[in-house]
Amino acid sequence: MTILIANIGTSDLTIQISIQGENYYLPIDYLSNESNIGEQTAKLPPKLKELWEKQRSYIETILYPDLGFPVGVKQTSRELTRVVLEKYLEKYPENPDKWHSRIKPVRIWGAIQKAISLGATKGYIFVTNQVTSEKPEGHEKDTIYLYDILVRWLELQNIPFILEKKTIDSKIEANKLEPLLSEYEKHLKQIAIEEKLNLLSAETEPNQNLVLVSIKGGTGNMVTALQIQAIDSNFKNLVFIDPELNLEKILQGEPSDCKLTLYWRHLRSQKYDTVKQLLSRWDFDGAILILDDWQNSLSSLPDGIVDKVNIEKSQTAIESVIAALNLGLCFINLDRADTKNILKSNPELSALVELEQNYDAWLNLYAQCRIYWELNQVANFLSRLSSFWEELLSYLIIELGGSKYFVKDINGDIDDWKLQKNLVESELWNKFYRQESEKNSHFKEWDFDNKPYKLTNRFSKYRLVKNLVDVRKKDSKTWKLIKESLMILDYWLQKRNKMIHLAKGVSKQTMCEMLTSDRLSADKQVKAEAMKTCEPDKILQTMTEICSATFELLKMEKNSSVGCNTTSHYIYSDIIAWVLDRLETDKLQ
C-alpha cells in the first residue's frame, strides 16, 4: 500500500487560452512564490518569455469573458475556481469536452503520476476553505473548488486514483506556521490510523508501504508544516515528491517532472539523537531497540531513490554499534563468556578489546552502583552493593597472592572458592582457622584432609583477606580504612532483604526512614549498627573511599573511573563514547 499526501495550490490549475492562433495553458494564479521563477523565465525562448510575462493580461482579457467576468475587474482565485467548476460540471450537448480539454492540473498531476508509478492508488489532499462569520466570502486563494475540479478531471481521464479531502480549519490562517504545524499533525495522525501506517511489516516488498509527500502546492508555510510533520510522524518509508518547475511544460499543459527525495539522513539523525538520549540514561536495551527498528527500515527502503552504497555503509555501522551495545549489556549482566564471544565475532570492536582484558568485576559493580543510584533504581543498587562487597574481597584474595590456595578449574581459574588446607602456609592457616572457627561451628569438624572447604559467604572471604594482609605485612592503616568502610556498608546489606519485602517498596526515602527508625530503636544492637553506618546519600562516597584505599593497599595506580560526579563510569562510559563516535562518523558520510 502506497499513498500520496499533498497540498494543492491555485497555481496547480492551468486553463487553455488561444493566443495569436496558438493554444497555451496558463496558470489562473501567478507562480509568485517559486524561488527560481526568475531564472526559469530567463531560460524561455523570446516568444514564450513575452507570453509568460503577459500572462495576467491574457487571463483577464481572454479567460474572464469565457467565464462571464468583466474585463479589467480582478477576480480572486477562489472565485475563478468556483466559476470554472460550475462550467466544468455543466453539460454541453454540442461539445461535451468543452472545458475538460482546456483544464490541466499540471503540477499536482505530475505528483499524482509519479505516485501512481510507485504503486499509489490513493491521495490525501489538503485544501483551504477559510469561510468564517467575520469573512463569509472566504479567502481569495482558497482551494476548496480547485480540489473538486481535480476530482472531476481525474474521473473524466479515467485515472483509477482515489482522492480524499483534508480541510484546514477555517480559523487557521494559511500563512501562520505554528497553528499549521498543529493542524497537520492532527490530520497526519488520522491518516496514519486510517491507513494503519504504524503497523507496517518489515517483511513487505521494498517498493510497498510508501508514504509519498509532495513538497509543492499551497502557501510556503503550508509546505513547511507538511514537511515537518511528515518527518516527525516517523512513517516507515517517507519519500518526498518534488514537482520541478518547467515553464515550457506548464505552457504546453504537460505534467511536471518530479524528483524523489528520501530524507533518510534526516530520519537517521533523529534516530541517533534518540539513541544518544537513551544512553545518557544508560539504557542500552532501549538504544538497541531503536537501532534494530532503524536497521529494518533501511532494509526496506525503495529501490532507485537512495544510494545503496551509502545505505550499506550505514547498515554496517549500525551492526557494529549494536554489537558494542550488546557488549555493554553483557558487562551489566556480569557475563564474561558472552563479552569474549562478541569481541571475537566482531573485529570492528577491536578498540574495545582492552576493556575486556583489563576488566575487574568489583570495579564494574562499583560503576553499576553509581549508575543505579543516579537512575534512582534502588533495588538494583542494593543488589549490586552486596555483590561489590564480596567481589572486592575476591579481588583482594587474588591480588594478595591467595589464588594458589584454591582448587582450579580446567581454565586455571578458581573453582567456586574451594580452599585446600594443604596449600596454605601454616601461619596463615592457623590465623584463619582460629577466626573462622569462632564464627562457623561446623568449621572445626570439617575433614580438610579429604575435601576442600568452600568459602560460602563474604565474611569467610573477609577473614581470609584480613589475615593475608597481616601475613603479607601490608599497610595496616589503609586496611583499617577498608575494613571500617566495609562494616559501614554491611548495615545496608543486612537491610536489603527487609526493604525489598516492605509494602512500601525500595526507595531512597525508604532507606532514610529505616535508618532513622533504627537509630531510635530500643534494641541496643540495632541502634548501635545504625549509628555506625552512613546516610544513604553517603554510600557512594564510602564505596569510593574503599576503592581508592584498595589501590593504595596494593600499591597500584588508581583507576580513572574511581570517583564520584565527574569521573567516567568505567567500561560503560568507554563503550558509549565509542558508540556515539561511530554514529557521528556515520552521520557525516
Side-chain angles (χ1 to χ4, degrees):
M1 183 276 301
T2 298
I3 61 169
L4 171 67
I5 302 174
N7 291 316
I8 192 169
T10 51
S11 61
D12 282 312
L13 178 64
T14 64
I15 302 290
Q16 186 190 74
I17 296 176
S18 180
I19 302 171
Q20 297 175 0
E22 296 187 39
N23 292 328
Y24 298 98
Y25 288 85
L26 296 180
I28 64 166
D29 191 25
Y30 183 66
L31 290 161
S32 57
N33 62 347
E34 293 285 349
S35 58
N36 60 342
I37 187 69
E39 178 185 342
Q40 286 289 318
T41 303
K43 291 180 179 179
L44 289 172
K47 181 180 178 180
L48 293 182
K49 181 180 179 183
E50 181 183 5
L51 186 152
W52 184 264
E53 290 174 343
K54 292 181 178 180
Q55 62 176 291
R56 287 183 179 177
S57 172
Y58 292 130
I59 291 288
E60 293 181 12
T61 58
I62 300 175
L63 179 61
Y64 276 20
D66 283 352
L67 297 175
F69 294 119
V71 174
V73 180
K74 181 78 169 67
Q75 302 297 318
T76 65
S77 300
R78 178 187 173 98
E79 184 63 10
L80 280 172
T81 52
R82 184 189 69 79
V83 175
V84 168
L85 178 62
E86 286 182 357
K87 298 287 185 182
Y88 200 11
L89 295 176
E90 287 180 17
K91 303 296 183 183
Y92 297 93
E94 71 284 359
N95 183 9
D97 196 34
K98 179 177 179 179
W99 278 97
H100 180 67
S101 61
R102 295 185 63 186
I103 291 173
K104 290 291 177 67
V106 286
R107 306 201 73 194
I108 197 166
W109 173 224
I112 291 173
Q113 268 194 333
K114 179 57 72 173
I116 291 173
S117 73
L118 292 169
T121 58
K122 185 176 184 179
Y124 290 89
I125 308 298
F126 284 92
V127 303
T128 60
N129 184 26
Q130 295 177 293
V131 174
T132 63
S133 56
E134 294 82 14
K135 199 171 185 178
E137 74 279 8
H139 190 277
E140 64 179 78
K141 289 184 179 289
D142 278 341
T143 54
I144 184 67
Y145 301 118
L146 181 55
Y147 171 83
D148 292 328
I149 292 170
L150 178 62
V151 171
R152 172 75 170 164
W153 190 84
L154 290 173
E155 287 176 353
L156 294 180
Q157 287 288 114
N158 294 316
I159 304 298
F161 193 77
I162 300 169
L163 292 183
E164 184 169 324
K165 180 169 54 183
K166 292 293 180 182
T167 306
I168 302 296
D169 191 315
S170 61
K171 297 175 183 177
I172 296 175
E173 293 184 37
N175 281 313
K176 299 292 184 181
L177 181 58
E178 197 63 33
L180 281 172
L181 286 169
S182 178
E183 182 74 356
Y184 277 93
E185 180 184 24
K186 177 187 72 176
H187 284 294
L188 290 180
K189 283 181 178 178
Q190 291 174 345
I191 292 171
I193 293 170
E194 290 174 28
E195 300 295 336
K196 298 182 174 60
L197 295 177
N198 295 327
L199 302 177
L200 300 178
S201 169
E203 285 75 36
T204 52
E205 294 298 320
N207 280 335
Q208 299 298 313
N209 301 328
L210 300 182
V211 176
L212 307 167
V213 175
S214 175
I215 56 175
K216 287 292 187 293
T219 66
N221 280 334
M222 288 175 67
V223 171
T224 300
L226 177 56
Q227 281 184 281
I228 290 174
Q229 293 301 351
I231 292 171
D232 286 348
S233 295
N234 288 321
F235 294 132
K236 186 175 182 62
N237 285 327
L238 174 64
V239 180
F240 287 100
I241 297 180
D242 183 5
E244 296 179 311
L245 180 62
N246 184 313
L247 300 187
E248 285 197 58
K249 277 182 171 280
I250 289 174
L251 292 171
Q252 297 302 321
E254 297 178 10
S256 297
D257 293 329
C258 294
K259 291 190 301 184
L260 297 179
T261 305
L262 185 64
Y263 278 29
W264 74 276
R265 286 184 173 83
H266 179 86
L267 296 173
R268 175 179 62 185
S269 293
Q270 283 189 321
K271 300 293 184 183
Y272 289 1
D273 287 344
T274 301
V275 167
K276 185 175 182 179
Q277 291 173 1
L278 290 170
L279 293 180
S280 71
R281 299 276 299 165
W282 313 101
D283 189 351
F284 289 81
D285 271 319
I288 290 171
L289 185 65
I290 293 294
L291 291 174
D292 271 336
D293 181 68
W294 178 236
Q295 190 80 302
N296 288 335
S297 294
L298 289 179
S299 299
S300 59
L301 291 178
D303 294 332
I305 298 177
V306 294
D307 186 342
K308 279 192 172 182
V309 174
N310 284 335
I311 293 294
E312 289 170 359
K313 285 181 180 178
S314 198
Q315 288 177 311
T316 299
I318 293 171
E319 287 172 5
S320 66
V321 165
I322 290 175
L325 293 172
N326 277 313
L327 182 69
L329 281 180
C330 287
F331 281 124
I332 288 174
N333 295 322
L334 311 177
D335 188 347
R336 291 292 302 284
D338 262 2
T339 59
K340 295 175 188 282
N341 290 335
I342 289 173
L343 290 169
K344 184 177 180 181
S345 304
N346 297 275
E348 65 275 13
L349 303 185
S350 58
L352 302 176
V353 170
E354 192 175 345
L355 298 181
E356 203 283 327
Q357 293 173 340
N358 297 330
Y359 172 84
D360 285 314
W362 66 286
L363 284 175
N364 182 15
L365 291 163
Y366 165 68
Q368 289 190 34
C369 283
R370 289 177 60 199
I371 289 170
Y372 287 131
W373 190 260
E374 289 175 18
L375 297 176
N376 203 23
Q377 296 180 14
V378 178
N380 286 332
F381 169 78
L382 291 172
S383 172
R384 292 306 194 254
L385 178 61
S386 177
S387 298
F388 166 81
W389 212 100
E390 186 165 345
E391 279 296 339
L392 172 68
L393 295 171
S394 300
Y395 175 77
L396 284 170
I397 289 172
I398 295 170
E399 290 301 317
L400 290 170
S403 63
K404 62 185 178 181
Y405 307 137
F406 295 89
V407 177
K408 302 295 194 303
D409 60 21
I410 58 174
N411 297 317
D413 298 322
I414 293 175
D415 184 11
D416 210 14
W417 294 99
K418 298 171 184 175
L419 182 67
Q420 290 184 292
K421 174 188 173 183
N422 63 308
L423 298 177
V424 184
E425 297 93 341
S426 58
E427 180 185 3
L428 176 61
W429 177 257
N430 291 335
K431 287 175 177 290
F432 176 70
Y433 182 86
R434 183 174 63 255
Q435 294 173 14
E436 190 73 6
S437 298
E438 293 174 359
K439 301 296 181 181
N440 295 329
S441 57
H442 68 283
F443 187 71
K444 288 183 179 180
E445 289 85 38
W446 196 267
D447 184 5
F448 296 107
D449 293 328
N450 293 309
K451 59 180 179 179
Y453 176 73
K454 183 178 179 181
L455 303 189
T456 57
N457 59 66
R458 65 182 187 276
F459 291 108
S460 293
K461 290 183 180 180
Y462 167 78
R463 286 185 280 275
L464 181 59
V465 171
K466 179 178 181 296
N467 289 295
L468 277 168
V469 170
D470 185 35
V471 170
R472 302 290 195 267
K473 295 180 172 52
K474 292 294 181 179
D475 184 350
S476 59
K477 183 178 178 181
T478 305
W479 167 247
K480 182 182 178 183
L481 172 61
I482 296 173
K483 178 178 67 173
E484 291 175 349
S485 297
L486 287 173
M487 292 305 107
I488 287 173
L489 297 182
D490 189 61
Y491 168 86
W492 293 111
L493 271 55
Q494 293 180 50
K495 296 297 179 181
R496 181 172 80 98
N497 288 338
K498 182 178 179 181
M499 277 186 283
I500 288 173
H501 292 98
L502 279 176
K504 291 183 179 180
V506 183
S507 67
K508 294 178 182 179
Q509 181 63 29
T510 308
M511 294 174 73
C512 292
E513 291 172 359
M514 181 174 287
L515 180 60
T516 299
S517 175
D518 284 353
R519 285 178 173 175
L520 297 173
S521 175
D523 188 315
K524 291 183 179 180
Q525 183 177 349
V526 170
K527 183 175 181 178
E529 290 175 352
M531 295 304 293
K532 288 179 183 178
T533 195
C534 63
E535 301 289 338
D537 60 359
K538 298 295 183 183
I539 294 176
L540 286 177
Q541 180 180 326
T542 302
M543 294 178 70
T544 299
E545 291 169 357
I546 291 173
C547 294
S548 298
T550 297
F551 286 110
E552 185 177 343
L553 179 73
L554 299 174
K555 299 189 182 324
M556 298 169 63
E557 183 180 351
K558 186 172 75 171
N559 189 284
S560 61
S561 66
V562 173
C564 298
N565 302 322
T566 58
T567 55
S568 71
H569 290 66
Y570 197 44
I571 46 185
Y572 305 107
S573 292
D574 291 328
I575 290 173
I576 289 174
W578 187 90
V579 163
L580 295 182
D581 179 71
R582 188 73 181 87
L583 294 180
E584 189 61 30
T585 300
D586 183 45
K587 281 168 63 175
L588 296 175
Q589 70 159 325

